[in-house]
Amino acid sequence: MYSLLKTLWLIFLHLFHRRETIEYPERKAYLAPRWRGRIILSRDPDGEERCVACYLCAVACPVDCIALQKGELPGGRWYPEYFRINFSRCIFCGYCEDACPTYAIQLTPDFEMSEYDRRNLVYEKEDLLISGVGKYPGYSFYRVAGLAIPGKDKGQAENEEPPFDPKTLLP
Amino acid sequence: MMAGLANVFGILLVLVITAALLTWVERRLLGLWQDRLGPNRVGPAGLLQVVADMIKILFKEDWVPPFADRIGFILAPAIVMAALLLGFAAIPVTPGIGVWPVDGVGLLFILAMISLSVYSTVLGGWASNNKYAILGSLRAVAQMLSYEVFLGLSLLGVVLQARSFDLRQIVAAQAGMWFVVPQFLGFLVFMTAGIAAIHRLPFDLPEAESELTAGFHTEYSGMKFGIFFIGEYVGIVLVSAMLATLFFGGWLGPVLPPLLWFLIKTGAFVAFFILLRAALPRPRYDQLMAFGWKLLLPLALLNLMVTAAVLLAF
């Protein structure tokens, strides 16, 4: 009986406690930088697309919501001809971000993407591509990768030694 | 004549609107006691939530399941609403406001109406032809058997002291001291029985959401379900008004007008009932029956006998 009265009193005191509710449209909850929300495609510091159309994100995607097509620039750089994410399927698991070798695809702390028409949830490349570097400033795949592109030959990447010449015996 | 009609329809209207508003009050208060906010979007402070709910529930299909017993199924929600609204007829709100200007046996009438409202629960569960519903009805019967006896007995102390079944005279007899002081035991027993009588938590065994989906109204939807709900809230107001009238001096009180005193006292009990819902878990129904028969019935009898003895001796 005493415990019942105590319960009643304690619950009554909750009248004066702070509310846990965040009144959403007026106030927004804090979302961590690594919160998994709307997916974007980032650019490298030079303003070029980071995506190299390797298809790893599309393979990793458990719901098959990513579709893209590889294209090749004259210098040998790969890029996606189209890049399409169907957000009505996306489960925001973040596997694509994990799979991406170039930090191109990233999940952002934004979830306000409701639409009245389901077709509007299919985002094309121009919807996904942002102008910045996203979560990884300063990273450029082609600067660290060994691939030869115009303006950067083999052995000229960061931390890369010049190619070994097998035809000479000198060390 | 006109005053009488105004009384009748005024009380009816206020009561039904209050019962509907209580859905909002309950959700807001439960929210507050659970560190939430409760519905606060529709209209000022969420007050129009009631209207939104009514629109929604009125436009639902008025459906009777094909396997149900049609007559009983439709009759059940009407019974609880009618019985509890009729019960309120005997409550004197103030000396001037009340459906019955003179009620010789008002208390007995209210008790009879509360008893009748149980048929709604039983009939609803039985006519639904659903195993959860019938389990709910069985529990309602078991619960009725345990509380109905001391629901009446606990009030006899008050009746003895006031020497009347007339609620107005009972209020008048409390001019010196509210009956909650000499009849504290009776107050506790009656409050417990009253909560059980209108199936409020923690004694909502007939509808026990966690075990019986929704108990006796599992098959109900649309406005028939709504009537069950409004009926339940009318029941809360009725029992709160009875507690205020019988133990807390009804409209009596200093400074403020009588009507306000009655509303304050009744409202406090309504809020207390909601607090009970927020705080207490539900007992098993054998526990409830044991509690009723082994503890509350002896207490009610003891209270009655001691009151009678004291009244005889002095």
Side-chain angles (χ1 to χ4, degrees):
Chain A
M1 194 64 211
Y2 169 71
S3 76
L4 289 186
L5 293 177
K6 193 179 161 193
T7 309
L8 278 177
W9 176 241
L10 287 179
I11 297 287
F12 178 75
L13 285 185
H14 273 268
L15 204 58
F16 310 108
H17 285 200
R18 200 170 58 79
R19 309 287 122 206
E20 292 291 337
T21 313
I22 298 169
E23 292 188 81
Y24 161 60
E26 291 91 29
R27 272 179 214 173
K28 306 221 153 84
Y30 168 73
L31 299 179
R34 295 205 288 184
W35 203 85
R36 299 200 306 265
R38 184 167 58 88
I39 298 173
I40 51 105
L41 287 174
S42 59
R43 291 174 185 273
D44 63 22
D46 307 325
E48 302 291 332
E49 288 173 39
R50 268 177 178 160
C51 180
V52 295
C54 66
Y55 292 99
L56 282 179
C57 50
V59 171
C61 183
V63 290
D64 276 351
C65 71
I66 303 179
L68 70 155
Q69 173 64 51
K70 191 205 96 176
E72 195 167 341
L73 291 173
R77 282 179 72 141
W78 287 11
Y79 75 101
E81 276 180 0
Y82 66 80
F83 198 105
R84 191 174 294 143
I85 297 182
N86 183 351
F87 278 109
S88 67
R89 282 189 165 201
C90 181
I91 56 172
F92 302 98
C93 62
Y95 284 7
C96 46
E97 184 175 9
D98 275 357
C100 186
T102 66
Y103 295 143
I105 192 164
Q106 294 177 11
L107 277 74
T108 55
D110 173 28
F111 56 91
E112 293 164 327
M113 43 199 298
S114 313
E115 296 282 354
Y116 283 104
D117 191 347
R118 190 177 291 244
R119 276 170 302 181
N120 294 343
L121 282 168
V122 179
Y123 280 37
E124 294 293 339
K125 190 167 132 184
E126 58 266 28
D127 307 320
L128 296 166
L129 209 57
I130 61 166
S131 55
V133 292
K135 284 179 267 189
Y136 302 94
Y139 175 82
S140 170
F141 173 72
Y142 284 105
R143 259 188 236 155
V144 294
L147 186 72
I149 53 164
K152 189 206 81 173
D153 209 353
K154 287 259 184 214
Q156 292 176 349
E158 282 171 28
N159 304 323
E160 190 189 15
E161 299 189 350
F164 179 72
D165 182 4
K167 291 177 181 162
T168 172
L169 284 173
L170 294 173
Chain B
M1 185 63 195
M2 280 315 289
L5 275 182
N7 251 335
V8 172
F9 286 106
I11 288 181
L12 186 67
L13 201 67
V14 168
L15 196 57
V16 172
I17 290 174
T18 311
L21 269 179
L22 274 182
T23 58
W24 171 80
V25 170
E26 169 150 39
R27 288 164 69 187
R28 276 314 288 256
L29 280 180
L30 279 181
L32 289 179
W33 281 317
Q34 293 166 354
D35 290 352
R36 298 183 287 116
L37 288 167
N40 65 346
R41 290 284 143 179
V42 197
L47 259 173
L48 293 180
Q49 185 71 42
V50 181
V51 182
D53 287 346
M54 287 304 271
I55 291 174
K56 178 203 164 200
I57 213 162
L58 278 172
F59 279 88
K60 289 220 168 190
E61 185 183 354
D62 192 31
W63 190 64
V64 179
F67 47 80
D69 176 46
R70 231 188 131 75
I71 297 172
F73 194 82
I74 294 173
L75 209 55
I79 290 177
V80 63
M81 193 73 176
L84 291 176
L85 280 178
L86 274 177
F88 212 86
I91 298 271
V93 179
T94 65
I97 306 176
V99 178
W100 285 359
V102 204
D103 56 344
V105 288
L107 190 54
L108 289 180
F109 180 75
I110 298 179
L111 289 178
M113 285 302 138
I114 289 180
S115 306
L116 274 182
S117 73
V118 172
Y119 281 102
S120 139
T121 319
V122 175
L123 204 58
W126 177 256
S128 290
N129 198 5
N130 169 312
K131 43 185 169 301
Y132 289 122
I134 195 69
L135 277 172
S137 294
L138 283 174
R139 289 182 178 193
V141 175
Q143 194 168 318
M144 183 196 71
L145 286 177
S146 22
Y147 69 71
E148 201 69 34
V149 185
F150 54 85
L151 181 73
L153 276 180
S154 60
L155 293 182
L156 285 184
V158 172
V159 173
L160 278 180
Q161 282 208 308
R163 298 182 186 279
S164 171
F165 277 107
D166 188 327
L167 284 162
R168 281 165 202 279
Q169 288 188 26
I170 290 176
V171 173
Q174 298 178 67
M177 178 168 46
W178 290 353
F179 281 157
V180 68
V181 182
Q183 292 291 325
F184 190 67
L185 212 53
F187 164 67
L188 287 183
V189 174
F190 176 74
M191 192 168 68
T192 318
I195 298 165
I198 49 170
H199 319 125
R200 279 296 292 179
L201 277 115
F203 301 132
D204 69 331
L205 298 160
E207 44 180 297
E209 283 93 346
S210 47
E211 353 169 345
L212 301 181
T213 59
F216 66 93
H217 58 61
T218 304
E219 293 292 344
Y220 281 87
S221 64
M223 203 52 216
K224 288 203 277 295
F225 170 77
I227 291 286
F228 265 129
F229 240 76
I230 305 256
E232 185 184 320
Y233 285 109
V234 172
I236 296 172
V237 178
L238 178 62
V239 171
S240 305
M242 279 179 84
L243 281 165
T245 310
L246 294 167
F247 294 100
F248 284 83
W251 65 75
L252 298 176
V255 188
L256 298 173
L259 179 62
L260 210 57
W261 271 112
F262 181 83
L263 293 181
I264 289 171
K265 288 168 183 171
T266 309
F269 276 110
V270 170
F272 180 69
F273 280 10
I274 295 171
L275 176 61
L276 281 178
R277 172 175 179 176
L280 299 183
R282 180 190 311 123
R284 286 201 316 268
Y285 86 96
D286 60 313
Q287 287 171 334
L288 172 66
M289 289 189 77
F291 181 60
W293 285 107
K294 292 182 185 165
L295 183 68
L296 290 182
L297 179 62
L299 276 181
L301 282 172
L302 182 74
N303 180 50
L304 175 60
M305 285 191 286
V306 171
T307 312
V310 169
L311 281 177
L312 271 180
F314 301 102

